[in-house]
Structure formats: structure tokens, C-alpha cells
Amino acid sequence: MTRILLVEDNPQNMKLASVILRKAGYEVIAAADSDEAESSIEAQVPDLILMDLGLPGKDGYTLTRELKRRPRTASVPILAVTSYAMKGDEAKARDAGCSGYLAKPIDRLELLRTVRSLVETDGDGGGP
Ligand code: MN
């Protein structure tokens, strides 16, 4: 089963995204901030990370850059999710090492399509 680490500090957004992903057959692990995300990754490296860029404490850009520098997590695709509808965010996210970008509010089909495209290229044959 494809394991997705969902890093999101907003409980409603977390709930929405995890329901969508679980219904689609993914295993979802929740982390409310960067510290929780790092503990989870330490225990088990996920197949994909959905990264809210606006997090309390260490933000998603910083965490993404750090994960991309570490050999253990460098190849894990990171999908950026942000509510900042600001121009330049996508470029900034890709610059930090994100493989994809989604703007909030989350659109179910767009989320699933993007997630599928990112986990299908990792070669483990996982995913629903
Ligand atoms: Mn946030």
C-alpha cells in the first residue's frame, strides 16, 4: 500500500485531504508540524509527502529543503500544498525541491490525479 505522509497544521484541511486519500486506497499518516513529520519519517520513510508550506515553527519550504538534502529522503516526492494564492509560490516550492504544487482549497480530482502521477513514477508499483 502506498504510504502518504500528510503534513498540515489546519485540522479541517487535514481531515479533508486524509478522507479523500484514504477513500482512494492510500495509507495516510498525519503530522501537524515539521517536528511530527520528522519523527514520522524517522520511524518510516513514506512513499510521498503532501507538504503544507505554511506551518507553525519550521515551514514547509525549509523542511522540504532539508529532506531533499538527506540521502534517506532525497528521492521521496514532495507535493506542495499552499493557501497562499500568491504568484511565485509554485516556483518557490519547486526551487525548494517539491515535485508538484497544489493550491488550496483542495480539489479532490486534482489532488488524486497529482498524487497518482507522483507515486506511479517511483517504480515500486504501489498505489491503488
Ligand atoms: Mn498551514
Side-chain angles (χ1 to χ4, degrees):
M1 190 185 247
T2 302
R3 186 180 296 108
I4 300 176
L5 174 62
L6 198 49
V7 191
E8 169 65 73
D9 64 304
N10 179 294
Q12 279 155 299
N13 292 339
M14 170 68 86
K15 176 122 196 251
L16 176 66
S18 45
V19 165
I20 292 170
L21 292 170
R22 287 195 175 115
K23 275 191 179 161
Y26 294 103
E27 181 183 345
V28 176
I29 298 146
D33 57 30
S34 289
D35 286 345
E36 280 189 29
E38 294 196 78
S39 305
S40 170
I41 291 164
E42 212 164 290
Q44 198 158 35
V45 175
D47 298 303
L48 172 76
I49 300 171
L50 234 79
M51 182 76 78
D52 176 25
L53 295 175
L55 294 170
K58 187 191 289 177
D59 68 25
Y61 295 105
T62 308
L63 181 59
T64 297
R65 267 188 227 104
E66 290 179 2
L67 293 172
K68 286 293 159 183
R69 275 200 299 262
R70 293 176 199 158
R72 193 159 171 260
T73 48
S75 65
V76 178
I78 299 180
L79 175 57
V81 183
T82 182
S83 49
Y84 312 141
M86 283 169 67
K87 229 178 165 179
D89 253 24
E90 180 165 9
K92 213 176 145 191
R94 289 192 185 274
D95 191 54
C98 294
S99 306
Y101 176 91
L102 286 177
K104 290 182 204 173
I106 290 292
D107 176 78
R108 186 181 149 271
L109 290 177
E110 192 187 7
L111 171 65
L112 292 176
R113 197 176 328 130
T114 311
V115 163
R116 210 173 291 130
S117 74
L118 291 174
V119 293
E120 274 176 4
T121 54
D122 71 2
D124 74 355

